[in-house]
Amino acid sequence: MIRVLLVHDLCLVRSVLAEWLRRETDMRVDDTAWTGACGRLPAVRPDVCAVDLECADAHGSPPLAELCGRRAGLPVPRLLVLASARRPGLLKRAAEAGALGYVDKEGSPQRLVTGIRHVAEGKRFVDDSLGFGFLKAAQMPLTDRELSVLSLAAAGASVAEIARSLHLSHGTVRNYMAAITRKTGARNRIDAIRISQGEGWL
């Protein structure tokens, strides 16, 4: 039996996907929004976390490392993500978090079923339609930390709020913003956000 934790912030979409997966006799499925995902791990003990990369919290940054990190007494779940080629920044974050499965969210639900089975066996699964997104992700000039800083800035956070959220000094945040502005060829922070959103990095 494959224990699956399905994480999606849109209740209707999550419910439909969960019911679809529960038709499979070899899967036991629990579902939750991102806000409750990490807290469900001890009870569910999932073999696979199947997660939507677009997080509806204020910062839009799903806590992938926290969800699939090591915890005392708990198995480390394998990670499968529902992704879009239009958001290469999120693909890059998923790859850096060690995701094994990448399912195009515009594809068939059966692809999700197949992907979960592959990932549960420790095999990589990548929808071909995400290839262009991975190419764009490889060309991204920003690091994961820079993306985190910029995501918070795009959500309207001040330097002080970004520093507090990411446990950084104010000076370090300013240094990151200067590097982001330089790497994106932007004139200022607002321009850097506009460029990054246009490229699908955020």
Side-chain angles (χ1 to χ4, degrees):
M1 185 68 69
I2 303 170
R3 296 182 301 253
V4 179
L5 180 61
L6 176 67
V7 183
H8 201 301
D9 275 344
L10 298 179
C11 183
L12 178 60
V13 175
R14 184 177 72 243
S15 299
V16 171
L17 284 175
E19 286 306 311
W20 180 279
L21 292 174
R22 289 183 183 119
R23 298 176 183 178
E24 305 300 320
T25 58
D26 61 341
M27 293 184 190
R28 190 176 73 204
V29 181
D30 285 84
D31 63 279
T32 183
W34 269 109
T35 52
C38 293
R40 295 290 293 277
L41 293 175
V44 178
R45 301 175 69 89
D47 301 302
V48 177
C49 288
V51 308
D52 178 44
L53 282 182
E54 296 190 41
C55 187
D57 73 3
H59 309 316
S61 302
L64 297 174
E66 185 181 346
L67 184 67
C68 293
R70 293 192 175 276
R71 285 177 170 78
L74 289 178
V76 178
R78 296 186 171 112
L79 179 62
L80 176 145
V81 298
L82 298 170
S84 169
R86 295 190 298 270
R87 300 291 302 276
L90 292 176
L91 283 172
K92 182 176 182 179
R93 289 185 176 195
E96 290 174 346
L100 273 180
Y102 301 82
V103 175
D104 190 339
K105 61 198 305 180
E106 295 181 13
S108 162
Q110 191 57 43
R111 298 293 290 167
L112 177 58
V113 172
T114 304
I116 288 172
R117 290 196 176 113
H118 274 72
V119 170
E121 294 175 359
K123 299 175 183 176
R124 186 169 294 279
F125 182 88
V126 182
D127 268 336
D128 292 341
S129 53
L130 295 175
F132 181 68
F134 277 106
L135 283 175
K136 290 196 72 174
Q139 297 167 356
M140 281 179 56
L142 303 180
T143 66
D144 187 54
R145 178 60 91 180
E146 288 165 349
L147 285 169
S148 295
V149 169
L150 194 58
S151 293
L152 290 166
S158 66
V159 168
E161 289 167 335
I162 294 171
R164 187 165 53 252
S165 179
L166 298 180
H167 309 291
L168 301 171
S169 70
H170 292 194
T172 300
V173 172
R174 291 190 184 94
N175 288 341
Y176 276 125
M177 286 307 309
I180 290 164
T181 302
R182 184 181 69 255
K183 288 181 177 182
T184 58
R187 296 185 301 275
N188 51 43
R189 176 163 91 163
I190 301 301
D191 196 31
I193 291 169
R194 179 188 62 78
I195 290 169
S196 298
Q197 289 176 333
E199 292 289 339
W201 298 342
L202 293 180

